[in-house]
Amino acid sequence: RLDEMIEIAERLAGMLDFVRVDFFALGSRVVVGELTSYPGAGASLVDPPEFDAELGSWWSQPRRYR
């Protein structure tokens, strides 16, 4: 069911820059469990702080949010 899950996740994600989509495989059905906009509720600590700065430099804010 992985191909089906990937297709559904891509459709749900649309134009978002990040979203985690959780699924349940229930027999022949695929059920969406949760959409999460920020891993760790946005409070995950990155150590050392230089790694946090490096990871942040890879992301660019979408124009529609500026």
Side-chain angles (χ1 to χ4, degrees):
R1 316 264 8 169
L2 180 59
D3 289 340
E4 183 179 359
M5 290 178 184
I6 291 171
E7 180 183 337
I8 293 168
E10 288 175 344
R11 286 178 29 208
L12 289 171
M15 295 176 52
L16 301 172
D17 61 328
F18 175 88
V19 67
R20 187 188 76 219
V21 183
D22 295 342
F23 292 99
F24 296 98
L26 303 174
S28 62
R29 294 178 28 203
V30 171
V31 178
V32 175
E34 178 180 15
L35 302 176
T36 305
S37 299
Y38 298 95
S44 300
L45 296 177
V46 180
D47 190 43
E50 294 81 18
F51 287 177
D52 191 22
E54 176 67 22
L55 291 172
S57 74
W58 298 348
W59 180 74
S60 60
Q61 186 179 36
R63 181 177 302 197
R64 66 184 179 278
Y65 296 140
R66 294 182 203 160

